[in-house]
Every structure is written in structure tokens, then in C-alpha cells.
């Protein structure tokens, strides 16, 4: 007979792992976030972080229907927000993959990681490929497209290289926060979706910073903007909102 307490503890460990940064951040998350944000200010300008943060109603139009044209228009809005030129990157919704299942403690607690987006360097124009399933989920679509657009700003512009910045993936997640898209990145980082067999739900983890570090990143973002109690935090999922408020209180001590 299975020990329900043991199963619960393992489940809590799985959730904790999924909400922690996917990769170790050099010097620890707090120091890494601070130094990386300051680097972004030097590269892109302080005015970027002072722009109004993007709220769901600002980007996702009323009546969004999940069609390909609607998804493409949403990506154009994110591109404009991130200062990419119109059609700077070719966009396609042709990335196909069923996800990579990684067992965590028990097979019944397996985790799905989706290959939902990809940035590709091209001879004439770089390309962003997205999973067609993203069109039905505008929050995840914005988060993942913004991440890939971040690759264009960082790698495509040669601001960084993979060799010089082995932390380039979490740095790209942080760039979405810097550009005011952190609500979407944070809310898409972790969810539980129904299993294909209909038996319970399965954890889905996206991104590299995940909820724990994104709470810290959003707190430092608010600090840079001079916000002690930002009103936009009500749009965050509860775990991230609580974490951000705690971190912001620490930063203002």
C-alpha cells in the first residue's frame, strides 16, 4: 500500500523543482538578476524599463479567437513592444513536437516539457518557429514568442554569444521582464494540464527562470521603476504575486 504522506512529499518536491530556475544562475539568483538587469539598462536604455508594463488587456484583443491570423497579429504586437522592426524575423507555426517526458520520482509524476519555440539564424533573415498549439493559449504564446524575440535582440544582434554567456537562456527570459512582458512569462511558467488519458493532471514547466526566480526578477523590475506597491501585480498568478511582494519588501528594507 502506498504511503499517502510519502506521495504528497514527492509531489511537493516535484513542484518545487519545476518552479525553481532550470539552470543554476551564476552567483545566485539575486545577484545575477541585479547584475543582468543593470547590463540590460546599459545595452537598451533605462527608458525601456520605465515604459508602462504590458497588461493582458493591452496585448490580447477582446474576442481573441486562437486562429493563425490572430496569433500572428499577437506576435506583431509583441515585436513592436520589444522594438523589433516589422518582419525582422520570419515567423512560422510549424514547430512540431509532442513534448519530452522526463520521469520525476515516479512515472505517475512525469513532467512534460514542451519544445514550443525556436529561434534560428538564417542566411538572409532569422526565423522564429512556434508550435501551432500555442495559438489557442495567448498568454503562453506571448511568453514564448517574447523569449524567441529576445534571442533576436541578444544573439541576432551579436550583443552576446552562446560561448560568452552560457546563461543566455535565463538571460533571455529576464529580458522579457525588462521589456515589460514579465506577467506573461511568469504566468506561463508553470501549470497543470489534464493528462491525455483523462486521469488527473500533469505538471507542465516552461522557460528557464520559472516562478521562483521570476518573482525575484519582477520585484527588482518594480524597484527599478520606483514602485513599492505596483498595482499590476494583481494580474500575476497567486504564487508569483506572493513571492514578488515578499521579495519587494526585502528590497525596500
Amino acid at each position: 500500500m502506498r504511503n499517502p504522506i510519502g506521495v504528497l512529499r514527492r509531489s511537493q518536491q516535484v513542484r518545487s523543482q519545476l518552479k525553481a530556475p532550470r539552470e543554476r544562475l551564476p552567483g545566485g539568483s539575486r545577484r545575477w538578476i541585479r547584475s543582468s538587469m543593470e547590463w540590460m539598462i546599459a545595452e537598451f536604455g533605462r527608458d525601456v524599463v520605465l515604459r508602462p508594463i504590458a497588461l493582458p488587456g493591452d496585448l490580447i484583443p477582446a474576442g481573441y479567437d486562437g486562429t493563425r491570423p490572430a496569433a500572428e497579429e499577437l506576435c506583431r504586437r509583441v515585436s513592436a513592444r520589444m522594438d523589433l522592426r516589422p518582419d525582422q524575423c520570419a515567423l512560422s507555426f510549424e514547430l512540431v513536437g509532442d513534448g519530452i517526458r522526463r520521469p520525476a520520482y515516479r512515472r505517475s509524476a512525469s513532467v512534460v516539457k514542451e519544445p514550443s519555440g525556436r529561434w534560428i539564424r538564417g542566411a538572409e533573415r532569422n526565423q522564429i518557429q512556434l508550435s501551432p498549439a500555442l495559438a489557442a493559449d495567448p498568454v503562453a504564446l506571448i511568453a514564448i514568442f517574447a523569449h524567441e524575440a529576445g534571442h533576436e535582440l541578444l544573439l541576432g544582434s551579436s550583443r552576446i554569444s552562446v560561448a560568452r554567456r552560457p546563461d543566455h537562456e535565463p538571460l533571455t527570459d529576464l529580458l522579457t521582464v525588462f521589456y515589460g512582458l514579465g506577467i506573461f512569462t511568469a504566468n506561463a511558467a508553470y501549470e497543470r494540464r489534464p493528462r491525455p488519458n483523462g486521469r488527473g493532471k500533469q505538471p507542465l514547466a516552461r522557460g528557464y527562470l520559472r516562478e521562483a526566480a521570476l518573482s525575484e526578477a519582477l520585484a527588482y523590475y518594480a524597484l527599478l521603476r520606483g514602485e513599492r506597491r505596483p498595482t499590476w501585480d494583481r494580474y500575476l498568478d497567486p504564487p508569483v504575486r506572493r513571492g514578488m511582494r515578499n521579495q519587494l519588501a526585502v528590497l525596500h528594507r
Side-chain angles (χ1 to χ4, degrees), residues 4-221:
I5 296 178
V7 171
L8 179 60
R9 286 175 178 170
R10 282 189 289 271
S11 177
Q12 291 172 339
Q13 289 175 321
V14 170
R15 287 197 299 271
S16 178
Q17 285 187 339
L18 293 178
K19 294 181 179 184
R22 181 175 170 183
E23 299 175 359
R24 184 176 180 181
L25 302 175
S29 59
R30 185 173 299 177
R31 181 182 298 178
W32 179 87
I33 288 167
R34 183 183 294 269
S35 63
S36 297
M37 280 280 202
E38 296 298 334
W39 176 83
M40 289 175 188
I41 288 173
E43 286 291 319
F44 299 99
R46 185 173 292 274
D47 65 296
V48 173
V49 81
L50 296 177
R51 296 174 185 173
I53 191 171
L55 304 178
D58 298 332
L59 291 181
I60 305 172
Y64 176 83
D65 60 7
T67 61
R68 188 68 55 85
E72 291 172 349
E73 172 58 25
L74 199 52
C75 291
R76 282 191 287 270
R77 294 185 179 197
V78 176
S79 291
R81 172 82 195 195
M82 298 184 72
D83 299 327
L84 267 65
R85 300 186 306 275
D87 300 320
Q88 181 169 335
C89 287
L91 175 65
S92 73
F93 284 82
E94 299 173 357
L95 184 60
V96 178
D98 296 327
I100 303 172
R101 296 178 181 270
R102 298 185 185 278
Y105 298 100
R106 287 175 181 258
R107 292 180 60 189
S108 59
S110 62
V111 175
V112 169
K113 295 183 62 197
E114 292 184 327
S116 300
R118 182 181 300 157
W119 176 85
I120 302 173
R121 191 184 298 277
E124 298 181 0
R125 186 165 57 143
N126 299 331
Q127 182 178 14
I128 293 175
Q129 293 181 347
L130 300 174
S131 165
L134 285 176
D137 186 345
V139 172
L141 172 59
I142 290 171
I144 292 168
F145 178 81
H147 178 91
E148 303 309 327
H151 283 314
E152 175 67 16
L153 291 174
L154 295 174
L155 295 171
S157 67
S158 299
R159 283 185 169 91
I160 67 169
S161 68
V162 174
R164 286 188 288 119
R165 290 296 303 247
D167 60 341
H168 67 96
E169 289 287 9
L171 186 72
T172 308
D173 269 356
L174 187 65
L175 187 66
T176 69
V177 177
F178 180 81
Y179 266 92
L181 295 159
I183 291 173
F184 303 94
T185 301
N187 288 352
Y190 176 83
E191 67 177 274
R192 291 179 63 81
R193 60 170 50 175
R195 295 179 184 274
N197 60 12
R199 297 177 181 176
K201 294 186 177 181
Q202 188 170 38
L204 171 62
R206 294 190 183 97
Y208 290 80
L209 289 183
R210 308 275 174 79
E211 287 186 350
L214 285 168
S215 295
E216 294 187 69
L218 286 163
Y220 192 67
Y221 170 80

Side-chain angles (χ1 to χ4, degrees), residues 223-244:
L223 182 73
L224 289 173
R225 295 161 56 84
E227 298 173 316
R228 294 185 69 94
R229 295 181 179 87
T231 58
W232 47 261
D233 70 354
R234 68 181 184 272
Y235 294 97
L236 292 168
D237 287 345
V240 183
R241 182 169 63 246
R242 289 192 297 268
M244 192 203 81

